[in-house]
């Protein structure tokens, strides 16, 4: 059955309604959302496909809503194709650079037997690899076999705490119901309006200049300036989505912490990237000038990690009334794990997802399993973008600033506890219809198209990713004082 042969779903699923409610959206708008099913897209024991389509569905609806508010028209219909969603949720696996397939996990990243169970390590970045080996007292040239032998001699929780104390990344694989993470207490989205003020009218969104979008379509986030302080997948997925919708997204990284080129080739679409050292006075002045004219700041670091640079949310909102501050972390915003580093694979392991997805065959060795995608990353990324879009809609109508908080663990809690699985799909999913090619500074890219879909919306990004850290740290257009409140 081809995608054109499959009728849309007649009944909206509960996951979409729950996510839209968490975003504070008008429930009457949910009738605008339909999905076109696909078989075998994201097969798993847990309802990953339901999570994926719901996060893309509410993000599409939030984009359609903002565009309608700016234009004064009706909210257009949202028609999400689950084939596009399944393809986009593994965008990093579909990426090809001049035909080359990137390596998504380094040799020392993965599951390893411990003396009493399993641990999951993350050593993709050189500094994380170095800290892991230092914590375990292993030489820098340690290979997988030597690491396996060292880990097999110690209990999983002891490994976890030893590596954490050294700044590395390893977690014990938890059994369902035995996680150290308080899943039931984790909200999916936290949104708080801060301060009062007149509505921040963004004006009517102009039509896009790029031919890859519908010629008559207005981009809902056009003219919105976004400072992107995120890394890896979840945050960059959110900001590449905002770029798709017309935002001027400028990613800022420290020159001392370079991004993996392959990762940036996947998540850098539509954005620009500059390197600034916030500890250097000159770069800090440049950053403050950017901040003064920003509409949105998105961060993807541990709670408190950016506070020393004056980037604590309350400080930002006091200095820049009307700002939207969107924060993403791994483990949630309170509790003993909140300050720890984390990635999707580690959150899957620590929350019980890896144990749930383990191979149940009689002859298996109990090896933990994984979701069919980095679904916590991608799903949280689309929810984060949706939360920013909804905050812009609310600010457009009511004024004030907004503080948004999401976490990978919060999304994991929703996946485990809050979503009902539908009947399993059919044959394996063919991603071909949702892949495209483009030239870029990295080479010829094959990449997954964006899954957002509403009537008149963009089909592709306006520009491919540029090389990391090479853009000028400035906004693309001059500031318009008439659309910005006075800043203290």
């Amino acid at each position: 059955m081809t995608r054109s042969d499959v009728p849309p779903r007649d009944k909206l699923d509960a996951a979409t309604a729950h996510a839209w409610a968490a975003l504070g959206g008008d429930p009457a708008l949910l009738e605008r959302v339909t999905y076109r099913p696909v078989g075998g897209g994201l097969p798993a024991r847990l309802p990953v496909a339901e999570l994926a389509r719901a996060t893309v569905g509410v993000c599409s609806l939030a984009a359609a809503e903002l565009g309608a508010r700016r234009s004064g028209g009706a909210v257009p219909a949202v028609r999400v194709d689950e084939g596009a969603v399944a393809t986009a949720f593994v965008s990093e696996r579909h990426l090809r650079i001049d035909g080359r397939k990137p390596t998504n996990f380094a040799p020392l990243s993965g599951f390893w037997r411990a003396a009493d169970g399993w641990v999951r390590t993350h050593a993709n970045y050189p500094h994380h690899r170095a800290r892991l080996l230092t914590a375990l007292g292993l030489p820098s040239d340690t290979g997988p076999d030597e690491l396996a032998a060292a880990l097999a001699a110690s209990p999983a929780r002891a490994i976890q705490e030893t590596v954490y104390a050294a700044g590395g990344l390893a977690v014990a694989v938890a059994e369902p119901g035995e996680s150290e993470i308080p899943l039931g207490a984790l909200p999916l989205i936290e949104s708080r309006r801060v301060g009062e003020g007149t509505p921040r009218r963004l004006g009517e969104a102009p039509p896009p200049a790029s031919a890859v979008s519908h010629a008559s379509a207005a981009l809902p986030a056009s003219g919105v300036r976004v400072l992107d302080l995120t890394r890896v997948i979840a945050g960059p997925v959110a900001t590449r989505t905002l770029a798709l919708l017309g935002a001027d997204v400028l990613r800022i990284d420290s020159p001392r912490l370079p991004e993996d080129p392959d990762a940036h080739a996947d998540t850098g679409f539509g954005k620009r990237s500059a390197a600034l050292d916030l500890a250097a006075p000159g770069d800090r002045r440049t950053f403050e000038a950017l901040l003064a004219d920003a509409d949105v700041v998105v961060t993807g670091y541990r709670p408190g990690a950016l506070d020393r640079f004056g980037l604590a949310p309350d400080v930002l909102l006091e200095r820049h009334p009307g700002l939207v501050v969107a924060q993403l972390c791994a483990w949630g915003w309170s509790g003993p794990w909140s300050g720890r580093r984390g990635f999707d694979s580690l959150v899957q392991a620590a929350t019980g997802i890896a144990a749930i997805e383990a191979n149940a065959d009689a002859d298996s060795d109990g090896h933990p399993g994984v979701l069919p995608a980095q679904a916590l990353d991608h799903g949280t990324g689309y929810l984060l973008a949706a939360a920013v879009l909804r905050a812009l809609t609310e600010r457009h109508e009511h004024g004030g600033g907004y503080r948004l908080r999401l976490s990978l663990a919060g999304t994991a809690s929703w996946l485990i506890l809050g979503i009902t699985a539908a009947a399993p799909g059919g044959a394996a999913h063919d991603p071909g219809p949702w892949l495209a090619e483009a030239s870029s500074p990295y080479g010829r890219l094959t990449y997954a198209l964006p899954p957002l879909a509403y009537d008149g919306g963009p089909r592709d990004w306006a520009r491919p990713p540029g090389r990391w850290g090479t853009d000028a740290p400035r906004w693309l257009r001059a500031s318009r004082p008439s659309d910005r409140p006075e800043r203290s």
Side-chain angles (χ1 to χ4, degrees):
M1 196 176 265
T2 67
R3 58 175 173 164
S4 60
D5 296 327
V6 183
R9 296 183 186 274
D10 295 326
K11 186 177 180 180
L12 188 69
D13 64 284
T16 303
H18 178 90
W20 188 242
L23 289 163
D26 179 358
L29 293 179
L30 287 168
E31 66 182 15
R32 309 297 294 158
V33 182
T34 57
Y35 297 114
R36 186 173 295 278
V38 68
L42 294 167
R45 289 189 174 89
L46 288 165
V48 177
E50 289 77 4
L51 176 147
R53 72 167 179 244
T55 58
V56 172
V58 296
C59 192
S60 299
L61 183 56
E65 179 192 30
L66 177 59
R69 294 295 181 270
R70 295 184 70 180
S71 68
V75 177
V78 171
R79 311 174 196 273
V80 174
D81 197 311
E82 293 179 15
V85 174
T87 303
F89 259 62
V90 287
S91 63
E92 66 276 10
R93 299 182 200 169
H94 290 304
L95 181 71
R96 299 292 184 272
I97 305 174
D98 289 332
R100 175 180 63 84
K101 181 179 181 180
T103 299
N104 293 315
F105 284 98
L108 300 191
S109 296
F111 292 108
W112 311 89
R113 276 197 178 277
D116 60 350
W118 295 84
V119 293
R120 174 90 194 202
T121 60
H122 194 287
N124 285 9
Y125 288 92
H127 60 292
H128 290 153
R129 183 182 190 279
R131 290 170 185 171
L132 172 68
L133 296 178
T134 298
L136 300 173
L138 297 173
S140 60
D141 60 351
T142 294
D145 291 343
E146 294 84 0
L147 178 63
L151 294 175
S154 298
R157 292 261 168 97
I159 295 168
Q160 169 184 285
E161 297 306 316
T162 298
V163 174
Y164 163 67
L169 294 157
V171 300
V173 175
E175 292 297 320
E178 297 180 2
S179 172
E180 296 181 75
I181 315 302
L183 295 179
L186 292 171
L188 183 59
I189 300 163
E190 297 178 69
S191 177
R192 179 164 61 92
R193 183 180 173 190
V194 179
E196 301 295 333
T198 57
R200 288 284 300 278
R201 298 291 179 183
L202 290 166
E204 183 174 347
S210 172
V212 299
S213 299
H214 294 292
S216 62
L219 292 176
S222 179
V224 174
R225 301 187 186 97
V226 179
L227 273 179
D228 176 6
L229 308 178
T230 69
R231 294 175 61 79
V232 194
I233 298 178
V237 163
T239 52
R240 81 176 177 191
T241 301
L242 296 174
L244 171 76
L245 298 168
D248 180 6
V249 179
L250 179 60
R251 174 169 165 167
I252 302 294
D253 287 276
S254 167
R256 300 191 301 272
L257 195 61
E259 180 60 283
D260 178 79
D262 292 348
H264 189 63
D266 175 45
T267 59
F269 281 90
K271 300 185 281 189
R272 294 176 299 121
S273 168
L276 292 175
D277 183 354
L278 299 188
D283 282 4
R284 181 58 182 272
R285 286 192 294 271
T286 299
F287 180 82
E288 290 295 331
L290 293 168
L291 183 59
D293 279 330
D295 294 288
V296 180
V297 175
V298 185
T299 69
Y301 293 82
R302 290 170 294 132
L306 299 175
D307 290 5
R308 69 186 186 278
F309 299 117
L311 298 178
D314 291 342
V315 174
L316 282 173
L317 287 162
E318 181 178 356
R319 293 173 55 213
H320 303 282
L323 192 64
V324 176
V325 180
Q327 298 175 279
L328 166 73
C329 71
W331 304 106
W333 297 95
S334 62
W337 280 56
S338 61
R340 299 193 178 198
R341 299 172 178 86
F343 292 88
D344 181 304
S345 58
L346 300 181
V347 177
Q348 287 190 40
T351 57
I353 290 174
I356 293 171
E357 297 292 335
N359 189 343
D361 294 342
D363 59 350
S364 72
D365 61 356
H367 194 286
V370 296
L371 297 177
Q374 299 285 93
L376 307 181
D377 268 331
H378 287 269
T380 307
Y382 290 113
L383 289 174
L384 182 59
V388 169
L389 295 166
R390 288 244 60 255
L392 290 170
T393 297
E394 294 294 326
R395 192 188 71 169
H396 183 75
E397 298 183 345
H398 306 297
Y402 288 83
R403 180 176 180 178
L404 314 171
R405 301 200 303 192
L406 295 87
S407 69
L408 302 185
T411 304
S413 174
W414 183 44
L415 176 65
I416 296 169
L417 304 175
I419 304 178
T420 302
H429 161 59
D430 174 17
W434 298 282
L435 298 177
E437 292 190 359
S439 296
S440 80
Y442 288 101
R444 186 70 178 172
L445 302 182
T446 299
Y447 62 97
L449 288 166
L452 267 67
Y454 59 91
D455 287 357
R459 298 187 298 264
D460 202 350
W461 289 276
R463 53 171 281 171
R467 289 201 173 273
W468 176 88
T470 59
D471 290 296
R474 60 177 178 81
W475 298 117
L476 288 178
R477 65 176 176 85
S479 176
R480 296 186 306 172
S482 60
D483 71 359
R484 318 190 95 72
E486 293 185 2
R487 302 282 179 95
S488 57

